[in-house]
Amino acid sequence: MINKRTLLFLCSCIVLLQSVAQTDFNRYQPLCSKGAVPKDFSNSTLSKIKQDNREDLKSLNGRKREFFVEQINYSIDEILHSGNVTFGDTISKYIQGLGDRLIAGEEDLRGKLRFYVYNSTEANAFSTRQGIVFVTTGLIAQLTSEAQLAFVLSHEIIHYQEHHVLDLFEYATKEKFYSYNEKARFLSNYSRENELEADRLAVKMVHDAGYKSSEINKTFDVLLYSYLPFEEMKLDAAYFNTDEMYVPEMYFRFKRNEISAKFKYNDYLMSHPNLAKRKEQVTDQVSKFKDWEKELLYEDSLQFFYIRDISRFEYVLNKVYSEEPVEALYAIYILEKKYPESEFLRNYKSQAWLDIMKASIKKETALYTSFSSLNRKRVKYYEGQISILNQFITVLPKAGKLTMGLRIIYDSYHVDTTNVIARKCYETAIHLLVKSDDFEMSKFSTKTFSQTLAYLHELKQDTSSKSKLHAVEWDKYAVIENQSKGMTEDFGIDSTKFYMYGISDIIRDSSFTKTFRKFSDKKSVLDKDKDEFNLMTDVEQLNLEYFKYDEEIHLKMDSVLLFQPAIFETTNSSEIDVFKTFKTRDLVFKEIYDNASDLNIHVESLSLKNLEILGAEDWNNYSMLQRSLTRAISDYENDYFVLDVVDLNRVKTKFGTEKLLFLEYQHTYAPDLYFGNVALFTVLLPVGLVYFPIAILSGHYSDWQFYVLDLKTGELVLDRSYYVNEPASKHNIGSRLNGMFHQLKQAKNEY
């Protein structure tokens, strides 16, 4: 007779086969939600606050209890609606099934826990008082067995079961010098006692589920080294080599930066015990159970490794979206070993190299603006094998980065010239080449590295006085020109300029040269405009800049897709006032629709205004647009990110508009009524009669931010901000939105 564990295992295998049939890693599509929308997503935050069961909060007084319920529900919904959480997807189904197996013997937990995947490169998992457990794709990408994931989930289940969130809140609220906002931050951390208790009890849960004991302590290795890539794999010295491009092995002889993480560290001032103490306790706890080898039904599950591969593809996606090309390229290098034909990996590799090319261009323009935000990104220190790749990219000169990027992007495009993203990457790469002063086609060799080496070797070896080859001599000017191409005076090659021979076929490609000239002509026009601008007087330059700034907002917008506005009501201590936030959010929505209607602007909406009517497709579009907007806003005025072009055009077609509007609004009421001022102007009452009304009325601060994304091109075409001292009233909000829509409605030069 088949026992329950065996039956569960067979069911898992069936689910795995179904999942594999649905996912082709060579044609991988980003993780997306499927099926019915869970109530965790579709129920509003206010309804959750009102319906919150507060039986476990009796130990808190009234104000603390109200604050806890408001903040915990608001915070969790912010996570659920961030665009990073999916439901009904392959990973969420998998971890839900694993979680259900772990609590099979816990009657009081059945049906109370929901498991979701949180798409992030951070290796983390956390549980909430509401019974939601989040596991990041970054954590799953790092694990080496299902048993390790089972231990992580068990740890989080224990936090929920033992009410550790509430214990921590009570501890935090005793410290009166913490603001409510600071206290809320404690909710994602636990005390040493809580962590050790969760580890202890999780061991039993993993044991009862039938996993191998030796895998538990390896989980702490994962946590310790989670800041490193998900594999430590030596970079192949021939990785970048093709028939056209040859990279000398000297570039892979850099010294690897040592891995510095240690299990034993001083945890005196930390909330968590160090990993060495946790491992020691778990080892002791494991020894209390004697039948670990009895059943190993789920050990090294094939489904786990399949899920892990999905998480690793998502790791690449997240690294590219966050503009971390070195991490993305190293992860792609690892995954290409298993999936060499993956279109997804080719596209994301091309985008990562575009980011490297773009960074080199930024450094050129930043020379004229030493305090430019372009240079504020902190240089990251890498450890392990990835440091070799980072050093290789770092030592490449600008021309080398541009050439390597072009080579890789060109080859990717020609694998499949019908691939829209590959074509856009290729065109964007050419645009970057034209923009740079370090790329001149005439300086690159029309021969490959090996062809040039053979030619120079023949010249050097021919000593016959009658030979035509021997008659070739380089004069001063030929020497200088050849040096720029990487050739030495003694008929050799300067290996540091290997890239000068890596695009010989590209510069002879007529389609490349045609596109290059087209972009060059456009650049010439822009350069001419810059020259004319530099000849203007200061007053003329100022007037022209103001004209361009004013003209930028006139987009002749007759229809728009409204994306979920980010509305916040905060106190003078930067705390979120939950109820006022939702009240102001409703007001902003109403004024948007009313003012747009008055100006005959058609508004489509992809927002959380009516959560209950959103389906899985809406949530997927919402997540994609959230990612795309975040990337576009961080890189305003640079149209070098092309991965979303297909999805954005799909959204454009669905909603019938080319423009997407996203706005942020934060209102703070912080009157200048401090104790010293109040005491002083109370004594000086005649002055106080004037001061107090002014202080009360002028304590309002409203910060507006408007963004418009072109769904056809993927470019952020508007980034406009306003900061004013005014209340969040219907009149003020309506006036601001009316003025904005009025300008967006106009065509250029209509005013």
Side-chain angles (χ1 to χ4, degrees):
M1 185 173 177
I2 299 177
N3 62 29
K4 186 177 180 181
R5 291 183 183 276
T6 305
L7 183 60
L8 284 170
F9 179 69
L10 292 173
C11 290
S12 299
C13 290
I14 294 172
V15 171
L16 172 62
L17 292 173
Q18 291 175 339
S19 300
V20 172
Q22 295 172 0
T23 302
D24 176 6
F25 286 106
N26 286 337
R27 299 283 179 180
Y28 181 77
Q29 295 296 317
L31 206 61
C32 62
S33 297
K34 296 178 183 177
V37 181
K39 290 184 178 180
D40 290 322
F41 289 79
S42 60
N43 287 356
S44 71
T45 305
L46 293 180
S47 68
K48 290 175 183 177
I49 293 173
K50 292 176 182 177
Q51 297 170 10
D52 195 302
N53 180 4
R54 309 181 188 188
E55 288 299 316
D56 59 333
L57 304 180
K58 292 179 179 179
S59 60
L60 300 178
N61 65 33
R63 176 65 190 113
K64 288 181 181 179
R65 187 184 309 116
E66 293 299 322
F67 169 74
F68 180 89
V69 171
E70 289 174 19
Q71 293 296 323
I72 200 70
N73 282 285
Y74 179 83
S75 299
I76 298 307
D77 276 5
E78 286 285 289
I79 294 171
L80 287 167
H81 300 160
S82 66
N84 296 319
V85 183
T86 49
F87 56 84
D89 59 282
T90 306
I91 302 182
S92 291
K93 285 183 176 179
Y94 167 74
I95 58 177
Q96 180 70 55
L98 178 53
D100 289 342
R101 290 205 300 269
L102 291 168
I103 62 173
E106 304 286 341
E107 293 290 339
D108 60 324
L109 292 178
R110 288 183 185 176
K112 293 183 179 179
L113 294 171
R114 289 90 68 205
F115 297 81
Y116 300 117
V117 61
Y118 184 87
N119 209 334
S120 166
T121 56
E122 182 182 355
N124 195 15
F126 53 101
S127 58
T128 73
R129 170 178 165 271
Q130 295 92 325
I132 299 174
V133 178
F134 296 101
V135 182
T136 66
T137 50
L139 175 63
I140 298 173
Q142 297 274 356
L143 298 170
T144 61
S145 74
E146 186 176 270
Q148 294 168 10
L149 180 57
F151 179 69
V152 170
L153 292 182
S154 299
H155 180 98
E156 297 306 324
I157 291 168
I158 297 301
H159 278 316
Y160 167 78
Q161 189 177 36
E162 299 300 319
H163 306 290
H164 287 164
V165 169
L166 185 59
D167 288 348
L168 185 59
F169 180 80
E170 290 183 290
Y171 164 77
T173 51
K174 290 177 184 176
E175 303 297 331
K176 298 190 183 215
F177 55 84
Y178 288 129
S179 72
Y180 274 130
N181 224 29
E182 289 171 318
K183 292 167 187 173
R185 293 190 192 109
F186 276 93
L187 301 179
S188 61
N189 294 290
Y190 301 102
S191 67
R192 295 169 186 243
E193 292 75 17
N194 288 159
E195 288 296 328
L196 293 172
E197 181 181 21
D199 284 343
R200 272 196 316 274
L201 298 179
V203 170
K204 181 181 185 303
M205 191 170 283
V206 172
H207 167 269
D208 293 346
Y211 286 99
K212 194 173 181 178
S213 61
S214 60
E215 290 295 314
I216 296 179
N217 266 335
K218 291 181 182 178
T219 311
F220 297 109
D221 297 337
V222 172
L223 297 178
L224 179 65
Y225 300 115
S226 63
Y227 68 96
L228 298 171
F230 49 73
E231 294 286 358
E232 183 69 1
M233 187 178 292
K234 186 176 180 181
L235 195 65
D236 184 355
Y239 176 59
F240 293 107
N241 293 347
T242 66
D243 292 339
E244 291 79 22
M245 175 68 75
Y246 170 72
V247 182
E249 290 189 15
M250 58 180 280
Y251 281 96
F252 299 91
R253 294 173 185 161
F254 297 107
K255 183 179 179 182
R256 177 179 63 87
N257 293 335
E258 294 299 319
I259 296 171
S260 60
K262 297 179 180 179
F263 280 101
K264 290 186 177 181
Y265 49 85
N266 189 349
D267 58 1
Y268 178 70
L269 297 177
M270 297 182 180
S271 61
H272 283 43
N274 65 41
L275 294 177
K277 292 177 181 176
R278 294 178 67 183
K279 286 187 76 171
E280 182 180 352
Q281 179 198 239
V282 165
T283 300
D284 180 63
Q285 192 69 14
V286 164
S287 66
K288 296 179 180 179
F289 298 91
K290 304 302 181 182
D291 54 347
W292 285 97
E293 307 300 325
K294 186 176 180 180
E295 283 191 276
L296 303 175
L297 295 178
Y298 312 119
E299 189 58 35
D300 295 331
S301 163
L302 290 176
Q303 189 179 13
F304 165 77
F305 293 110
Y306 167 71
I307 294 299
R308 189 180 69 174
D309 279 354
I310 294 177
S311 298
R312 290 181 171 186
F313 271 73
E314 294 297 316
Y315 177 96
V316 170
L317 179 147
N318 288 313
K319 287 297 183 182
V320 170
Y321 271 89
S322 60
E323 287 190 88
E324 298 177 276
V326 175
E327 290 96 325
L329 289 173
Y330 187 74
I332 290 169
Y333 166 73
I334 295 168
L335 290 170
E336 281 180 336
K337 299 287 185 182
K338 189 173 182 180
Y339 304 105
E341 304 300 322
S342 173
E343 179 183 80
F344 175 93
L345 295 179
R346 285 200 305 271
N347 287 342
Y348 277 70
K349 184 197 291 186
S350 293
Q351 182 61 61
W353 274 102
L354 279 181
D355 287 340
I356 291 171
M357 296 169 72
K358 178 190 68 176
S360 69
I361 302 298
K362 279 187 173 184
K363 289 179 181 177
E364 290 177 10
T365 58
L367 291 174
Y368 302 99
T369 53
S370 58
F371 294 102
S372 170
S373 61
L374 301 176
N375 281 330
R376 290 178 185 172
K377 197 167 184 179
R378 189 175 179 181
V379 177
K380 189 170 182 178
Y381 179 78
Y382 295 94
E383 297 178 0
Q385 292 295 337
I386 192 175
S387 65
I388 304 294
L389 176 61
N390 181 58
Q391 290 175 77
F392 165 67
I393 293 173
T394 301
V395 300
L396 281 177
K398 293 174 187 174
K401 291 182 176 69
L402 294 171
T403 308
M404 287 290 296
L406 174 63
R407 176 78 267 168
I408 290 167
I409 293 168
Y410 178 91
D411 290 342
S412 176
Y413 168 58
H414 282 84
V415 171
D416 179 8
T417 56
T418 65
N419 185 316
V420 176
I421 293 174
R423 176 174 56 79
K424 287 289 291 182
C425 284
Y426 176 49
E427 292 174 351
T428 306
I430 299 175
H431 176 70
L432 284 165
L433 297 177
V434 170
K435 190 173 182 180
S436 174
D437 295 330
D438 281 86
F439 186 87
E440 296 180 39
M441 269 202 289
S442 60
K443 289 186 176 181
F444 288 85
S445 174
T446 56
K447 294 184 176 67
T448 65
F449 189 93
S450 58
Q451 289 171 341
T452 305
L453 192 64
Y455 169 69
L456 293 177
H457 181 73
E458 189 175 359
L459 283 179
K460 191 173 183 180
Q461 294 299 317
D462 196 330
T463 57
S464 171
S465 60
K466 296 180 181 179
S467 170
K468 291 182 180 180
L469 291 176
H470 186 71
V472 175
E473 293 184 2
W474 292 347
D475 57 27
K476 168 185 174 182
Y477 309 103
V479 168
I480 294 172
E481 182 181 356
N482 287 328
Q483 282 178 337
S484 69
K485 293 183 178 180
M487 289 186 282
T488 61
E489 295 89 332
D490 59 346
F491 303 108
I493 294 183
D494 180 358
S495 295
T496 63
K497 295 185 178 179
F498 68 89
Y499 50 86
M500 304 302 294
Y501 307 92
I503 57 172
S504 59
D505 59 323
I506 300 177
I507 60 177
R508 296 195 308 269
D509 184 335
S510 59
S511 65
F512 169 78
T513 54
K514 182 179 179 180
T515 307
F516 188 88
R517 288 195 201 99
K518 181 179 73 173
F519 288 149
S520 295
D521 291 341
K522 290 181 180 179
K523 183 175 182 291
S524 297
V525 174
L526 293 174
D527 289 343
K528 183 179 178 181
D529 291 342
K530 287 180 182 178
D531 291 339
E532 292 177 355
F533 179 82
N534 291 332
L535 293 174
M536 293 178 180
T537 65
D538 291 345
V539 174
E540 289 174 330
Q541 288 182 353
L542 186 62
N543 288 335
L544 181 60
E545 288 293 334
Y546 178 79
F547 173 79
K548 288 181 177 178
Y549 177 81
D550 194 45
E551 188 181 52
E552 181 186 53
I553 199 171
H554 299 95
L555 298 174
K556 199 178 180 180
M557 206 165 71
D558 294 317
S559 64
V560 65
L561 172 60
L562 174 67
F563 189 70
Q564 174 64 24
I567 312 296
F568 304 102
E569 285 278 3
T570 58
T571 66
N572 56 0
S573 56
S574 299
E575 299 164 8
I576 298 290
D577 188 319
V578 175
F579 286 99
K580 283 187 69 175
T581 290
F582 282 100
K583 182 179 178 182
T584 301
R585 189 175 295 179
D586 289 340
L587 179 58
V588 170
F589 270 112
K590 183 178 186 304
E591 291 302 315
I592 286 174
Y593 290 121
D594 287 350
N595 283 280
S597 177
D598 290 344
L599 293 168
N600 293 318
I601 297 176
H602 177 69
V603 178
E604 291 284 349
S605 177
L606 184 57
S607 69
L608 307 181
K609 174 69 174 170
N610 298 306
L611 282 168
E612 66 279 359
I613 66 172
L614 296 180
E617 183 184 359
D618 298 312
W619 282 103
N620 292 329
N621 287 330
Y622 178 87
S623 298
M624 183 275 295
L625 289 171
Q626 188 78 268
R627 274 198 312 258
S628 191
L629 268 170
T630 301
R631 171 70 192 235
I633 291 170
S634 70
D635 198 24
Y636 181 48
E637 293 183 339
N638 286 304
D639 55 343
Y640 307 136
F641 190 77
V642 303
L643 288 178
D644 291 329
V645 64
V646 174
D647 289 328
L648 290 176
N649 275 273
R650 176 176 48 77
V651 169
K652 175 178 74 70
T653 301
K654 175 180 172 63
F655 290 97
T657 178
E658 291 188 357
K659 299 293 189 292
L660 177 141
L661 172 65
F662 170 61
L663 65 89
E664 295 178 348
Y665 175 61
Q666 180 172 339
H667 171 256
T668 303
Y669 182 57
D672 187 21
L673 294 174
Y674 300 105
F675 177 78
N677 292 347
V678 172
L680 176 63
F681 291 110
T682 300
V683 175
L684 302 174
L685 189 58
V687 180
L689 292 175
V690 177
Y691 169 76
F692 287 124
I694 293 175
I696 292 171
L697 293 174
S698 64
H700 293 275
Y701 303 93
S702 293
D703 189 0
W704 288 93
Q705 196 80 32
F706 294 90
Y707 303 99
V708 175
L709 183 73
D710 191 314
L711 296 172
K712 185 176 181 180
T713 64
E715 297 177 42
L716 194 71
V717 294
L718 181 68
D719 180 351
R720 191 61 56 89
S721 60
Y722 304 94
Y723 185 76
V724 288
N725 288 101
E726 61 185 25
S729 66
K730 181 180 185 300
H731 172 75
N732 290 329
I733 291 174
S735 297
R736 290 292 166 190
L737 290 171
N738 182 272
M740 172 59 61
F741 279 120
H742 184 75
Q743 295 178 84
L744 291 171
K745 173 80 172 179
Q746 289 180 324
K748 298 184 188 301
N749 300 319
E750 268 190 10
Y751 46 97

